[in-house]
Amino acid sequence: MITIRNLTFKYRTKDMFDNVDMDIEKGKITSIIGPNGSGKSTLVKILVGLYRYNGKIEINNIPLLKDNRKEIRKNIGVVFTNPDNQFVAETVMDDIAFTLENMNYKKIDIRKKIEEVSKYLGIYDILECNPHDLNSNQKQLVSLASALVHDPKILILDEALTMLDPYDKEKILKILKELNSKGLTILNISHDIEDTLISDKIYVLDKGKIVLSGTKEEVYKEEDKLHKLGFELPFMVELSNRLMFYDLIEHVIYDMEEMVDILWK
């Protein structure tokens, strides 16, 4: 869905990327993690056409060029860290509608799309509320609705789970897994390795270079390299490793509910 070849980018005098290659597979969840300053958020801005770059990027087989950024953005929905920075209207309904209005949807279709996405995400009853008056979970769901309402092929999460408490994060992760099961390609950008548990593939960035990549199983095995970058293994992986040591389980389990079911038996 996204192909990156020989990506080179310099911000002012700082080299952010140097001949980076990356593949975001269609219908998969790919996570990109790295410490602060590794280039994660810069990559998002490049992918949505905010920064010019050297190299080759294709999104849904469309070359990312200056003159087709609008076409590219029709394929992408983005949710950022702080939803307050994304709100542009005084009601949730108008905020979600903003995306569709800019794409020249008819009013009757806008209403239908908003109703569909708001009911799916459980925010239909707050459509008339001011988004700034909502709690953090509701705000992020509104941002997610705005990103999904035009049926993008790719959803990009730029540290979008950072401000959520564990309970709210788990609820949104379940929604993301369900959306992915329906074919949505998800690119999850994070500095928290816990957010990678739902991933099919993980890229680890450091100083604008890919230092690790592979399935989550392959990346989690590189514990020493992860530690050097400041990452501990996700809690579920650590727990699984300890339980396997005592022969209580046979393999790494990434889902807490699955873990409870197995141990309960």
Side-chain angles (χ1 to χ4, degrees):
M1 188 61 75
I2 301 177
T3 302
I4 300 172
R5 293 290 179 268
N6 301 317
L7 173 61
T8 300
F9 178 77
K10 179 179 288 189
Y11 183 73
R12 295 177 180 171
T13 60
K14 183 179 180 181
D15 291 325
M16 298 298 296
F17 295 107
D18 184 16
N19 291 315
V20 168
D21 292 344
M22 199 176 291
D23 291 295
I24 311 303
E25 293 184 47
K26 182 178 181 180
K28 303 290 186 181
I29 300 177
T30 301
S31 287
I32 300 176
I33 62 170
N36 290 334
S38 59
K40 304 185 301 298
S41 291
T42 300
L43 180 61
V44 175
K45 291 174 182 176
I46 290 172
L47 292 176
V48 297
L50 295 179
Y51 288 160
R52 297 179 64 181
Y53 66 94
N54 292 316
K56 180 181 178 181
I57 298 178
E58 289 187 354
I59 298 177
N60 196 25
N61 297 317
I62 305 170
L64 177 56
L65 304 172
K66 183 179 179 180
D67 59 358
N68 67 356
R69 286 179 296 185
K70 191 170 184 180
E71 183 181 2
I72 288 285
R73 288 172 184 170
K74 290 180 181 179
N75 290 278
I76 299 175
V78 184
V79 184
F80 294 99
T81 306
N82 188 348
D84 285 302
N85 294 335
Q86 288 184 258
F87 298 145
V88 296
E90 294 185 0
T91 68
V92 170
M93 181 181 295
D94 289 342
D95 204 87
I96 299 173
F98 182 77
T99 300
L100 300 177
E101 289 168 350
N102 278 280
M103 293 182 177
N104 298 317
Y105 275 68
K106 296 179 180 178
K107 286 187 177 181
I108 189 171
D109 293 329
I110 290 176
R111 180 71 198 196
K112 181 180 178 182
K113 298 289 290 180
I114 292 174
E115 183 174 327
E116 288 174 354
V117 74
S118 63
K119 285 183 176 179
Y120 176 71
L121 295 176
I123 57 173
Y124 183 74
D125 59 337
I126 61 171
L127 287 178
E128 299 300 330
C129 296
N130 187 315
H132 293 287
D133 294 334
L134 305 175
N135 64 42
S136 60
N137 183 55
Q138 290 172 322
K139 287 179 178 180
Q140 206 60 291
L141 285 171
V142 172
S143 294
L144 185 58
S146 296
L148 294 173
V149 71
H150 64 293
D151 297 319
K153 293 180 172 59
I154 306 162
L155 176 66
I156 299 178
L157 306 170
D158 184 11
E159 305 277 8
L161 306 174
T162 301
M163 297 180 69
L164 300 174
D165 63 39
Y167 177 75
D168 288 337
K169 180 185 286 192
E170 188 61 31
K171 285 170 62 177
I172 288 184
L173 286 173
K174 286 183 178 180
I175 291 172
L176 294 175
K177 286 190 282 187
E178 184 175 329
L179 289 168
N180 175 249
S181 71
K182 295 178 180 180
L184 181 66
T185 301
I186 298 176
L187 176 57
N188 175 41
I189 313 288
S190 180
H191 67 271
D192 188 350
I193 199 168
E194 293 288 341
D195 296 343
T196 66
L197 285 170
I198 63 172
S199 308
D200 298 296
K201 188 172 185 178
I202 300 172
Y203 287 98
V204 184
L205 279 178
D206 185 38
K207 298 175 182 176
K209 294 183 181 293
I210 297 171
V211 294
L212 273 176
S213 67
T215 64
K216 58 176 175 257
E217 292 84 1
E218 292 168 338
V219 170
Y220 296 156
K221 286 179 181 178
E222 299 291 343
E223 191 171 355
D224 289 341
K225 291 182 180 179
L226 290 171
H227 281 170
K228 288 179 181 178
L229 294 169
F231 293 111
E232 300 293 333
L233 289 177
F235 170 76
M236 289 302 300
V237 178
E238 290 274 20
L239 178 61
S240 293
N241 288 340
R242 295 189 180 214
L243 293 175
M244 284 191 294
F245 179 80
Y246 292 105
D247 293 325
L248 295 174
I249 60 173
E250 298 178 352
H251 60 276
V252 176
I253 299 171
Y254 301 105
D255 182 80
M256 181 63 78
E257 290 184 7
E258 181 185 351
M259 176 71 80
V260 171
D261 287 342
I262 290 176
L263 292 179
W264 187 255
K265 293 175 183 178

